[in-house]
Amino acid sequence: MSTRGVVYVHSSPSAVCPHVEWAISGTLGVRANLQWTAQPAAQGQLRAECGWTGEAGTGAKLVTALKAWPMTRFEVTEEPSEGVDGERFCFVPTLGLWRARTSANGDIVVGEDQLRAMATASRAGEAFAHKVDELLGASWDAALEPYRRAGDGAPVTWLHRVG
């Protein structure tokens, strides 16, 4: 089952950039030659994006490889494919990893069991709202938004997995 997605490296120290490329290359089985540009939101840091195609589950494999460099900020998306939900992963050094399933239009999907657990654990309005923010990754979005905006108009490299 083939799908596609995007790796957004929002910030990385320049010395780590080759390692990030090797991690992506090793996961996809094709050479990643990313176009690194300055990250205005973090002085001395660089940013890059690359689209990818591969089997369902490749997004999670990319995240596992990229987490080896915990000083980076990144997002990985995987589009839904037949019988498989899409996924979105966000990593921020101070927050760690956040993961959610996504629908065909990119919305975050919250499962019935997650809703039941949330309703049981948080009866008060403010606690419930906090749990909703956690499920939707609000802290990660807030932490990454300045880095996303700083990358508007940056080039995207497409990588296609072979075999």
Side-chain angles (χ1 to χ4, degrees), residues 22-111:
W22 296 331
I24 294 169
S25 298
T27 303
L28 296 177
V30 297
R31 184 162 188 247
N33 189 12
L34 303 181
Q35 296 178 357
W36 295 95
T37 58
Q39 173 50 275
Q43 195 74 327
Q45 302 270 316
L46 300 174
R47 64 165 320 284
E49 299 176 14
C50 67
W52 58 269
T53 59
E55 296 175 5
T58 299
K61 291 175 184 175
L62 286 163
V63 170
T64 298
L66 291 171
K67 279 182 16 181
W69 307 103
M71 67 291 295
T72 62
R73 286 175 182 80
F74 64 86
E75 289 182 83
V76 176
T77 63
E78 178 172 318
E79 292 183 6
S81 54
E82 192 170 329
V84 181
D85 289 330
E87 293 186 291
R88 181 172 152 225
F89 302 87
C90 298
F91 184 84
V92 176
T94 56
L95 298 172
L97 181 66
W98 173 83
R99 176 199 168 273
R101 295 182 333 206
T102 57
S103 65
N105 69 348
D107 285 346
I108 294 169
V109 176
V110 178

